[in-house]
Amino acid sequence: MLTVIGGLESKNLAKKIATTLDCKYVDSMTTVFPDGESKITISEAPRGTAIVVQTTYPHADASLIRVLSLISKTKKTASRVIAVIPYLCYMRQDMEFLPGEIVTSRMVAKLLSAAGASKIITVDIHSKLAINYFDVPITNTSAVPKLADYLKKSHAKRPLVMAPDLFWSKRAKEFAEIIGAEHTALNKQRDRKTGKLKILQKKSLDLSGRDVILIDDMISTGNSMILAAQYAKSCNCGRIFAVCTHPLLVGNAEENLRDAGVKEIISSNTILHKTNRIDVSDIITQAISLIC
Ligand code: R5P
């Protein structure tokens, strides 16, 4: 027996997953007190396998508590709990980059299993290293093939797929192979103290008459993509598309990206946003089917 429970930020996705799996959908109600605490209630106690669907944005900390609460509550009556967390926050803090920093990825991993998750499904987790911190099995799916399929239809001219940093060069390669294009990755450096970014790119490319597809796991402030867009512009490129799995798009990120010359922002619905073009519910359903 399968039951899907939709958390505040992922109800649409949860309903789609329940419909595809042809199983029961149980709603959750969230009240936020003036001091910021969340009070969560579920409309029915699930039996058998419970699938909790809750992304962790906006408000990373609050939605993390919400997903932990849902897991802990459903674990009381269900025999196992699969936590579907399409965007899993804190995965960038996977190392002690500067002395005294906390490896929060590891702590989040421990919290999820302590709450009662027996399995975690996510999409394009930021850190492969962080996967090792989980003591329950984790399935990391990817929106990249679907994002690439979408871009295939954009009629980009002799596109160059560009990752703003070396971390995503493998994904950029995968993306480029799907659309039959070339790819490159920039050497982005972040000052660990100030957070300031720079791109160490000495060579200028000739991109005249070519469109550029920037691709990353997430766009937060947009600064990484803005730097990459500026570099691409300096190489005389045509249109610039900014593609990501997780559209955090904090503050004026969208506007700033457009000011930097980005023609279109394309994202998946791991986080609800008007730039969503790709639905990840089928990717997640497939991953659930493999374990249920
Ligand atoms: C960093 O390593 C990530 O992959 C993204 O590049 C980064 O988090 C994006 O952040 P922002 O949009 O603030 O530059």
Side-chain angles (χ1 to χ4, degrees):
M1 187 180 171
L2 280 183
T3 307
V4 176
I5 299 106
L8 181 65
E9 284 88 0
S10 295
K11 291 192 181 189
N12 285 346
L13 206 54
K15 284 177 193 162
K16 279 185 188 164
I17 293 170
T19 306
T20 315
L21 291 171
D22 195 20
C23 68
K24 186 183 234 173
Y25 172 78
V26 166
D27 207 8
S28 69
M29 283 69 66
T30 306
T31 311
V32 181
F33 291 117
D35 60 7
E37 282 186 8
S38 297
K39 178 184 168 166
I40 301 155
T41 316
I42 53 173
S43 58
E44 210 177 301
R47 310 266 162 204
T49 299
I51 300 165
V52 167
V53 186
Q54 162 79 59
T55 204
T56 52
Y57 192 81
H59 314 302
D61 294 355
S63 42
L64 189 59
I65 281 290
R66 288 174 198 151
V67 74
L68 291 167
S69 307
L70 285 170
I71 294 168
S72 149
K73 178 68 178 169
T74 50
K75 180 67 186 162
K76 293 205 181 315
T77 52
S79 53
R80 68 170 172 164
V81 181
I82 299 173
V84 173
I85 314 175
Y87 166 66
L88 180 52
C89 63
Y90 282 109
M91 295 301 117
R92 280 173 291 187
Q93 298 185 45
D94 58 353
M95 278 168 74
E96 189 174 341
F97 295 100
L98 293 177
E101 285 181 356
I102 293 158
V103 184
T104 318
S105 308
R106 185 184 281 131
M107 187 195 70
V108 167
K110 298 276 174 275
L111 285 172
L112 289 166
S113 48
S118 24
K119 170 100 197 169
I120 292 155
I121 297 174
T122 189
V123 186
D124 289 319
I125 194 167
H126 176 74
S127 162
K128 294 277 157 60
L129 172 65
I131 292 180
N132 302 316
Y133 301 152
F134 289 81
D135 47 23
V136 294
I138 172 162
T139 303
N140 178 36
T141 64
S142 179
V144 167
K146 282 192 84 172
L147 288 164
D149 276 341
Y150 180 87
L151 260 293
K152 240 184 186 174
K153 295 167 201 140
S154 68
H155 305 295
K157 277 193 213 141
R158 293 172 53 227
L160 176 68
V161 178
M162 185 183 278
D165 75 54
L166 297 170
F167 269 116
W168 251 51
S169 57
K170 245 183 152 172
R171 289 295 195 195
K173 180 170 185 275
E174 184 189 341
F175 190 104
E177 277 168 4
I178 296 171
I179 66 166
E182 291 178 322
H183 74 281
T184 188
L186 304 180
N187 186 2
K188 179 184 90 178
Q189 303 273 305
R190 187 184 291 274
D191 183 312
R192 291 279 164 203
K193 281 198 178 128
T194 62
K196 226 173 161 223
L197 298 174
K198 62 178 174 205
I199 284 178
L200 305 176
Q201 201 72 16
K202 292 193 188 92
K203 222 170 63 183
S204 177
L205 303 168
D206 179 11
L207 297 178
S208 12
R210 296 186 68 178
D211 292 338
V212 167
I213 301 173
L214 301 174
I215 170 132
D216 210 342
D217 57 338
M218 66 178 88
I219 307 178
S220 179
T221 61
N223 290 340
S224 303
M225 287 233 178
I226 288 169
L227 278 185
Q230 286 166 348
Y231 170 72
K233 280 266 163 218
S234 74
C235 300
N236 222 4
C237 73
R239 295 175 302 171
I240 303 175
F241 300 89
V243 182
C244 69
T245 301
H246 312 296
L248 280 74
L249 291 163
V250 177
N252 294 331
E254 245 189 292
E255 201 185 321
N256 296 341
L257 280 159
R258 292 195 200 282
D259 289 348
V262 169
K263 183 186 175 333
E264 194 181 342
I265 304 169
I266 294 144
S267 69
S268 87
N269 61 348
T270 57
I271 294 168
L272 268 187
H273 194 270
K274 63 177 189 288
T275 58
N276 293 166
R277 299 289 178 272
I278 294 305
D279 176 19
V280 293
S281 65
D282 56 334
I283 299 171
I284 291 168
T285 309
Q286 248 173 16
I288 296 171
S289 306
L290 290 175
I291 45 175
C292 288

